[in-house]
Amino acid sequence: MASSAFQKVQIHRGNGDDFTFDAYIVGEEGAPGVVVLQEWWGVDYEVKNHAQTIASKGFRSLIPDLFRGKIGLDAAEAQHLMESLDWPGAVKDVAASVKWLKEHGSKKVGVTGFCMGGALSLAAGVLVPDVSAVVAFYGTPSPDLADTSKLKIPVQAHFGELDQMAGFSDVAAAKALEKNLEAAGVDSEVIIYPNNGHAFMNSSDEAVKRKKECGFADHDNEAVEKAWARFEAWFSKYLK
């Protein structure tokens, strides 16, 4: 998918915080908003593909650039970028992004994210009061950042059965999140996709090649379609 449809804006964190960051927006003004959070690669072609898919389902997508323009060209560089991230600061970026969407016509705003962004979307669900619902893909936050048993909004989460990222997005992490969501008493779904691994939603030719280079499971287009259908049903229910 081309990225030419995106509008680039600068967003100020506010609340006495001087930080500003770039954000990329696509979708009809006034539609329900979805903040779309990047993987550890940065704001690259694939997170923009996801944002465009979300916009095609009747939402307004906003991607905050959490790495301030930096892109990881290989796994080692991406890991360094993620490890260098100010996670509480990234949550502030999400809060400012939610506020921007509400100020520009979106009555309700959800947050979604992939890998690092999945973890941050759950953290934002705990820490950002104006978020109406979350859909997280293969990532859970450190308890130091956010206690997911304190979530008060609907959460849908997607994981791959073959994901090897222990304590972050493997089956054990998915089950721990499910237990926390039950404790929170919120409307929730945790779906584990058989025979799928980390980053299974990434579907472009470049992303499928990158998954293979990272040693992840083979691409499964049927799982991707099921996950997008569940995503659309969840956010349609809670944002539209």
Side-chain angles (χ1 to χ4, degrees), residues 2-12 21-36 43 47-56 59-65 93 96-106 109:
S3 59
S4 58
F6 284 88
Q7 173 194 4
K8 182 179 176 181
V9 299
Q10 277 213 316
I11 295 177
H12 187 256
F21 56 92
D22 291 337
Y24 299 86
I25 298 149
V26 63
E28 189 177 334
E29 187 167 352
V34 178
V35 178
V36 183
V43 179
V47 74
K48 287 185 173 179
N49 287 345
H50 292 327
Q52 287 186 314
T53 298
I54 292 163
S56 75
F59 302 96
R60 194 175 196 202
S61 301
L62 184 155
I63 311 169
D65 187 350
D93 290 351
S97 299
V98 171
K99 183 170 181 279
W100 191 96
L101 282 165
K102 289 202 162 190
E103 288 174 348
H104 290 81
S106 297
V109 179

Side-chain angles (χ1 to χ4, degrees), residues 12 14-18:
H12 187 256
N15 295 323
D17 197 325
D18 283 340

